Amino acid sequence: MDTVIRAATNAVTVFPDRARLTCSGSVSLEAGLHQIVIADLPLTLLPDSVRVSGKGTARAKLLGVSTHLEHYRETPAAAVRELEEQLQAAHDVGAELAARQAALGKEQANLESLGAQSETFARGLVLRNQRPEEQGAIFDFLRERLARLQAEMLAVMREKRENDKRVDQLKRRLEQLRAAQPKQRYLAVVEVEVTAPGDLTLELVYMVQGAQWSPLYDLRFTDGTLEVTYLAQVRQTTGEDWRNVSLALSTAQPALALTVPELQPWYVMPKPPPAPRLQRAMPKTPPGVEVAAVMPAPTLLAEAPAEEYDVVAESAAVSDSGAALTYRLAGRADIPGNGDPRKVTIAAFPLKPKLDYVTAPKLQAACFRRAWVKNESDYSLLPGPAQLFEGDDYLGTTRLEFVAPQQEIELFLGADERLRVERELTLREVDKNLLGDKRRIRYGYTLTLDNLRGAPQTVTIRDQLPVPRDEQIKVRLDGADPRPTTHDDLNLLEWKLEAGPGKTTVKFEFTVEHPRTMEVLGLV
């Protein structure tokens, strides 16, 4: 016998590209064979992922489970049916308002027609059938009634305009839901054999497509502390709303293949020499004998023995990002099934940053605050956008890459106007003494840092020398005060200073040498 039950979704685990749903339903069964039909499963269900288990007072044996597509004459979603009823009610209200508007318009036309019959009222005065006071009362009545009619018509027009907006809004929402809710649904058929009657609670677990989550961050710097709010944006287009579910977020990738690719032998061999061409000698033609056109003999190539190769089967790529993480939210959540994003909070925790400043005055005359932050929380921060705040002031958007617990990250908190920097060209001198037909140009720069914060600050100043791309061009650092902390192979210079209040200067000079006849591009 068939028994139809509706299973309520009570737990959802969302992956980056899909979700696992757990739903359950109860039924009372007598002894015997039963087919329990769990209806209204979403169309995005992956049939191969369906698993079922059960427990209860009934003693039963699970024989099997299968899934089938069921076609509906009407969209089965309760939300769609509710919207259809609301839309029909709104249409009825619109028709009623239109009828009231037409009736009021007709009454207004009749009153205006009655008020326009001044000749009739004048004849009544002449024949003394009416007194002037009576006609005045009639005119007052017409004026007051017309005023009430106009006010009522304006109220009806406003009400009808608002109702038309509601009809339009309901139509759009209904179109979205109908697009997400085709008139097909899956149903699962669970076969059980009951040996002792009682109650049985079935738990159905299955995967669905059309669901995803991505991390978001709010980073707020206040009083020397970085407050991190770890958020997740969850959206799903399965067509059914997840209401009051226990929500978990996982970083696992179920879509990846579970087979490790095996390396095949990598063969190398010398290139074979070109094969010689073999020509056949042509016979001599006796004198006086006409020679007919002769097709050339086919060219014979010496063929090298063919090498045999194993057929290589390409495997799906495997991305190894460490053990998967699962975040289970403390409370329960509602996630709509129409694709509207829902933000949920994973965690909020403070971190203690180390602040310093970075400037590259050649590019921009500004000192940027930098925060070195060690992730001392138990959470791994996944790649995602982060909104930066200082107090209530919004600084902008940055992006976090993967940050493991105890890993340090670098954040920039914008320019600080209380640290000013200038870069000035103080020397450009061409050596007129040509030695070995070489031309030498000397450059000198002064970098001035003005600290207006009233306390020493750690500042990293960056600059550079030219990088020659020809061996005949030589670049040499002649001197620097103070000496740069680092000077790499690409001639990038970096000074790490403790800049006290007031001005701090950095000077450096360098020489570029090249042949006199060579025109060098890129020099100022």
Side-chain angles (χ1 to χ4, degrees), residues 312-493:
V312 179
E314 293 186 355
S315 301
V318 177
S319 176
D320 183 6
S321 59
L325 303 173
T326 300
Y327 302 121
R328 297 189 180 277
L329 275 63
R332 304 182 76 84
D334 294 336
I335 310 296
N338 59 359
D340 290 343
R342 168 73 191 278
K343 292 182 182 179
V344 295
T345 300
I346 296 176
F349 49 87
L351 297 177
K352 194 69 176 178
K354 298 177 182 178
L355 295 178
D356 65 355
Y357 291 84
V358 177
T359 180
K362 180 180 179 180
L363 301 178
Q364 189 173 357
C367 288
F368 295 89
R369 286 180 301 169
R370 178 174 59 180
W372 291 98
V373 186
K374 187 176 183 180
N375 181 15
E376 296 178 342
S377 72
D378 296 330
Y379 297 92
S380 291
L381 307 183
L382 304 178
Q387 308 295 323
L388 277 173
F389 299 86
E390 182 174 8
D392 294 330
D393 297 331
Y394 176 66
L395 300 180
T397 302
T398 187
R399 180 173 178 82
L400 293 185
E401 299 303 327
F402 179 83
V403 184
Q406 304 305 313
Q407 182 179 348
E408 195 173 44
I409 60 173
E410 179 185 29
L411 297 174
F412 288 95
L413 305 177
D416 192 336
E417 296 181 354
R418 291 171 291 180
L419 268 76
R420 301 175 183 176
V421 65
E422 293 180 355
R423 184 178 190 264
E424 181 183 4
L425 176 64
T426 56
L427 175 66
R428 188 185 187 280
E429 180 179 272
V430 179
D431 192 347
K432 297 181 180 180
N433 297 322
L434 298 179
L435 299 177
D437 201 26
K438 298 289 186 181
R439 185 184 188 197
R440 294 184 179 87
I441 309 175
R442 294 187 64 196
Y443 294 88
Y445 286 92
T446 298
L447 313 177
T448 304
L449 177 68
D450 192 4
N451 180 6
L452 303 179
R453 292 186 63 90
Q457 303 296 329
T458 303
V459 183
T460 298
I461 301 178
R462 294 171 177 170
D463 215 300
Q464 63 184 158
L465 307 182
V467 180
R469 304 193 70 176
D470 189 284
E471 62 181 6
Q472 300 184 74
I473 304 174
K474 308 295 183 183
V475 177
R476 181 180 65 252
L477 178 63
D478 296 328
D481 183 22
R483 297 293 298 177
T485 307
T486 59
H487 181 182
D488 65 13
D489 294 338
L490 293 178
N491 276 343
L492 297 177
L493 308 176

Side-chain angles (χ1 to χ4, degrees), residues 126-299:
V126 172
L127 297 177
R128 297 182 179 180
N129 292 333
Q130 289 181 334
R131 297 196 304 271
E133 293 81 3
E134 294 176 346
Q135 291 194 8
I138 294 175
F139 286 127
D140 291 341
F141 167 77
L142 292 175
R143 183 174 62 252
E144 292 175 1
R145 183 55 183 161
L146 281 173
R148 288 198 300 270
L149 278 176
Q150 291 174 352
E152 192 173 352
M153 289 183 68
L154 286 174
V156 171
M157 289 175 60
R158 284 193 293 267
E159 190 175 352
K160 188 174 184 301
R161 184 166 58 247
E162 293 299 323
N163 188 74
D164 291 342
K165 291 180 181 179
R166 175 171 172 75
V167 168
D168 185 61
Q169 181 183 18
L170 289 172
K171 283 182 177 179
R172 289 198 302 269
R173 290 175 57 189
L174 189 58
E175 289 174 358
Q176 292 177 352
L177 281 182
R178 281 174 173 169
Q181 286 273 0
K183 295 183 179 181
Q184 289 178 322
R185 301 287 277 179
Y186 271 107
L187 55 84
V189 180
V190 182
E191 299 179 3
V192 295
E193 181 182 1
V194 179
T195 57
D199 295 332
L200 182 65
T201 299
L202 291 177
E203 184 175 83
L204 192 71
V205 179
Y206 57 90
M207 302 287 289
V208 293
Q209 295 178 324
Q212 61 181 1
W213 79 276
S214 56
L216 302 172
Y217 304 93
D218 283 347
L219 307 178
R220 190 177 302 274
F221 182 73
T222 307
D223 297 332
T225 300
L226 186 68
E227 296 287 344
V228 179
T229 303
Y230 193 174
L231 305 169
Q233 181 169 271
V234 186
R235 67 173 71 215
Q236 55 103 355
T237 55
T238 63
E240 65 172 359
D241 296 338
W242 300 339
R243 299 184 183 276
N244 195 31
V245 297
S246 174
L247 186 63
L249 307 173
S250 175
T251 62
Q253 297 278 356
L256 296 181
L258 299 180
T259 302
V260 178
E262 296 291 339
L263 291 173
Q264 300 297 325
W266 181 1
Y267 296 106
V268 295
M269 69 188 72
K271 182 179 179 180
R277 292 178 177 269
L278 301 180
Q279 296 183 354
R280 187 172 58 182
M282 299 294 294
K284 294 183 178 180
T285 305
V289 178
E290 185 176 351
V291 180
V294 180
M295 296 296 293
T299 302

